Amino acid sequence: MGSVNIKQLARELNLSAATVSRALRDSHEISSATKQRVNDLARKLNYEPNPSASTLRSHKSKTLAVIVPEIANNFFSLAINGIEEVARQHGYHVLIYQSHDNVEAEASFIKSLLTGRADGILLSVASETVNEIHLMDLNKQIPTVFFDRVPDGLNTVNVTTNDYESAYDAAEHLIESGCKKIAYLFALNNLLAGKNRLKGYLNALKDHNIDLDDHLIITCGKDDINNYSLLKDAISKYQPDGVISATEELVLPCYEICQLLKINIPNYLKIVSFSNLKTAPFLNPSLTTVTQPAFEMGFKAASLLLKLLDNKQVEPGDAEVLNSVLIKRGSTAVK
Amino acid sequence: MGSVNIKQLARELNLSAATVSRALRDSHEISSATKQRVNDLARKLNYEPNPSASTLRSHKSKTLAVIVPEIANNFFSLAINGIEEVARQHGYHVLIYQSHDNVEAEASFIKSLLTGRADGILLSVASETVNEIHLMDLNKQIPTVFFDRVPDGLNTVNVTTNDYESAYDAAEHLIESGCKKIAYLFALNNLLAGKNRLKGYLNALKDHNIDLDDHLIITCGKDDINNYSLLKDAISKYQPDGVISATEELVLPCYEICQLLKINIPNYLKIVSFSNLKTAPFLNPSLTTVTQPAFEMGFKAASLLLKLLDNKQVEPGDAEVLNSVLIKRGSTAVK
DNA sequence: CTGTTAGCGCCTTCAC
DNA sequence: GTGAAGGCGCTAACAG
């Protein structure tokens, strides 16, 4: 902090501060000789520009803010990895916030970001979000790209995955494996992703002429204990032979319950889960997963945001839908 | 950005900017009536102070920087979660950087942080770090707390776990389970944590009068493919009946190789891994883990850093060593 | 090509 | 209890 500033460089070089500033920013109106001298001294004295001063003046913070429900989540941590990668490549810094799926927290973070602290926001919204006033026209206040958990019905720039198709494929996979009673662990109920996944499941059943039993749609919430008992009741009562879990978290109680009820996986019950746990295959060779390209989503979302910041128009095709991958396992029973 | 500032508040209230500023900072020299008026209008107009201006002037950014090798890692993402928690509680913001275990990247991030962008640093050093000139006396330049991956021999403020004891316990557990030939997957070789874990293993063997076979210490590096072949050679050649993995990453190829070589886990080979994968028990009931209190470490490290920033002296007991937990599993064979 | 001037929004003297 | 003035470090506008 007691470090060198532009004025000191200027004095030492017999130049004005303005010239030094321009030279450092590689302005075309400075002779290359001067640039040379300036850069040499800057390096020698370990000069680093003061970001606050520069932001205050230029209205550019070179900082992106990321708001996610949870950091300690296989999907989000990978997405942040992708974001950080893009940021670093372009000399941007990354601020992180967790909403813990709480709308007020989310809104409050956003508010605190409308002051120039960040140039743009990457947002995966809180699943609790229903009344999204704080998201309406957000893009007019600060460039924002939504990823994965995007609001439903707002005209936003989004990066998502093919939730409908992948849930459809998951259900079809189970049907083709012989399942007749496929339960669906419904989560992210308020979000487009959650709704689309459910639709994919429903339509796959319909297309294969399987009657839907409403009891097999288990609507889960944020309360783990409640989810557990809902799940346990449904599994013991309606005895599904297949399960699709809309989130990675719900697959765990599912395993627990099967162990408790002595239900053999995957012989008597086959499971498919949306999951980004890379280690899943080795830890459990019976779990078929729908794996999202998490890193790529973060990467893509950040790239899009930088494009927006560049005042480049974002074209329709830019707000991409990436494809998840269904990784089939468990065809051979566990030994 | 086109938002309200102190001057506008002042004009509207017929006060000076100075008075408004003081009122907002709850200065004792302002009448409570004025404070009331100021705060009311501020809330009404959605006033948010400009962080750059405030930082430039006050030399306080209310921002912590976190540098970790990888974000998408069960330990680090949990630790960041803990850090974010503390930060939010105290109105701090969190900047994230990944070194990817590269010393130059680490040094360059640190350099860019010495300009007031952050008030302090939370650092888990790159495992490649050997020549740590960039870390020497870092604390004199900017308050820094190291966690988990701390440098060896520098006089830093650290938050770590009981690596020695937990590796010792892991080895003892295997010995007591009947293992005679325990392999050790050695990682984090340059770091205190890595060295201490190895020592714990070695001493447990010694204390139980088990002769050390050097071939069973498999020194792993950053190259996954190379690690795989090292591991495969060692396992097939020296046929250990127990394995301790110093990191979560190395346990995966281990499983793969056992599957390939038709080695039954845990009947013929028992594994203990340092791991923070919460889902491990459900996904694989045979894997005994040494689980670090990752969230708590982040929480503790951030709390310590805030204490440093408060100019409170950090006392010896503050730089804590937290305890990992050995979660024993696999006593019953996989069905 | 380079210098002068001014001001981004805030906070901290110093005055009254 | 409040106001006026100056400056944090940098950059944009205007000169020359």
Side-chain angles (χ1 to χ4, degrees), chain B residues 3-213:
Chain B
S3 80
V4 246
N5 59 28
I6 283 192
K7 234 198 262 176
Q8 293 168 44
L9 293 181
R11 194 173 332 126
E12 196 135 341
L13 292 166
N14 278 316
L15 289 170
S16 73
T19 304
V20 174
S21 173
R22 280 184 280 229
L24 289 169
R25 321 200 92 243
D26 200 24
S27 158
H28 56 276
E29 45 183 4
I30 299 291
S31 74
S32 54
T34 306
K35 281 183 189 168
Q36 190 63 263
R37 292 209 303 140
V38 170
N39 283 315
D40 286 353
L41 186 67
R43 200 159 315 116
K44 185 177 154 213
L45 297 188
N46 242 303
Y47 169 77
E48 284 280 329
N50 180 310
S52 314
S54 154
T55 301
L56 183 58
R57 189 61 240 260
S58 68
H59 299 290
K60 284 181 191 338
S61 62
K62 296 285 264 177
T63 302
L64 308 180
V66 182
I67 308 175
V68 292
E70 300 288 337
I71 292 165
N73 166 298
N74 294 309
F75 173 76
F76 291 120
S77 63
L78 279 167
I80 295 170
N81 187 355
I83 291 167
E84 209 269 348
E85 193 64 28
V86 174
R88 196 190 42 65
Q89 281 173 13
H90 294 82
Y92 274 75
H93 299 254
V94 179
L95 283 167
I96 292 271
Y97 302 89
Q98 306 191 73
S99 68
H100 293 296
D101 277 322
N102 175 344
V103 188
E104 273 105 56
E106 186 175 281
S108 138
F109 289 140
I110 290 174
K111 191 178 163 201
S112 87
L113 289 168
L114 300 176
T115 53
R117 189 184 290 279
D119 295 334
I121 301 181
L122 291 154
L123 182 48
S124 211
V125 305
S127 68
E128 196 190 77
T129 298
V130 186
N131 186 357
E132 59 261 290
I133 24 169
H134 64 298
L135 300 181
M136 292 191 62
D137 296 320
L138 179 55
N139 230 319
K140 286 187 184 142
Q141 308 190 257
I142 183 169
T144 304
V145 173
F146 293 79
F147 66 101
D148 193 50
R149 304 200 179 173
V150 307
D152 190 1
L154 298 183
N155 185 29
T156 50
V157 179
N158 299 337
V159 175
T160 52
T161 44
N162 57 343
D163 291 295
Y164 172 85
E165 288 82 2
S166 49
Y168 188 101
D169 291 349
E172 194 163 57
H173 166 70
L174 288 176
I175 294 168
E176 286 169 355
S177 305
C179 297
K180 308 280 182 209
K181 292 162 68 178
I182 301 172
Y184 185 82
L185 313 190
F186 183 30
L188 312 178
N189 321 11
N190 295 319
L191 300 176
L192 202 51
K195 293 177 190 169
N196 284 341
R197 290 175 191 182
L198 179 62
K199 273 190 215 154
Y201 159 80
L202 293 174
N203 277 352
L205 293 192
K206 195 196 287 173
D207 290 352
H208 288 80
N209 301 312
I210 297 186
D211 286 339
L212 173 66
D213 179 351

Side-chain angles (χ1 to χ4, degrees), chain A residues 248-318:
Chain A
E248 188 171 298
E249 289 74 37
L250 292 171
V251 86
L252 299 177
C254 200
Y255 266 90
E256 251 185 305
I257 289 162
C258 287
Q259 207 172 332
L260 186 74
L261 301 177
K262 314 258 185 228
I263 296 173
N264 185 305
I265 301 170
N267 287 349
Y268 297 111
L269 178 68
K270 300 185 200 311
I271 300 181
V272 180
S273 177
F274 279 76
S275 165
N276 294 282
L277 178 57
K278 349 177 246 261
T279 60
F282 304 114
L283 288 176
N284 194 314
S286 84
L287 181 67
T288 289
T289 54
V290 176
T291 300
Q292 295 175 291
F295 176 91
E296 289 76 7
M297 288 184 76
F299 196 96
K300 182 79 195 175
S303 304
L304 262 178
L305 182 52
L306 290 188
K307 205 166 172 183
L308 278 177
L309 293 179
D310 238 16
N311 282 319
K312 296 217 181 80
Q313 208 55 37
V314 171
E315 291 147 39
D318 286 340

Side-chain angles (χ1 to χ4, degrees), chain A residues 22-53:
Chain A
R22 281 183 281 228
L24 289 168
R25 322 199 90 244
D26 200 24
S27 159
H28 55 277
E29 44 185 5
I30 299 292
S31 75
S32 55
T34 305
K35 281 183 191 169
Q36 190 63 260
R37 290 208 305 142
V38 170
N39 284 315
D40 285 354
L41 187 64
R43 199 158 319 115
K44 184 178 153 211
L45 299 188
N46 241 303
Y47 169 78
E48 283 282 328
N50 180 310
S52 313

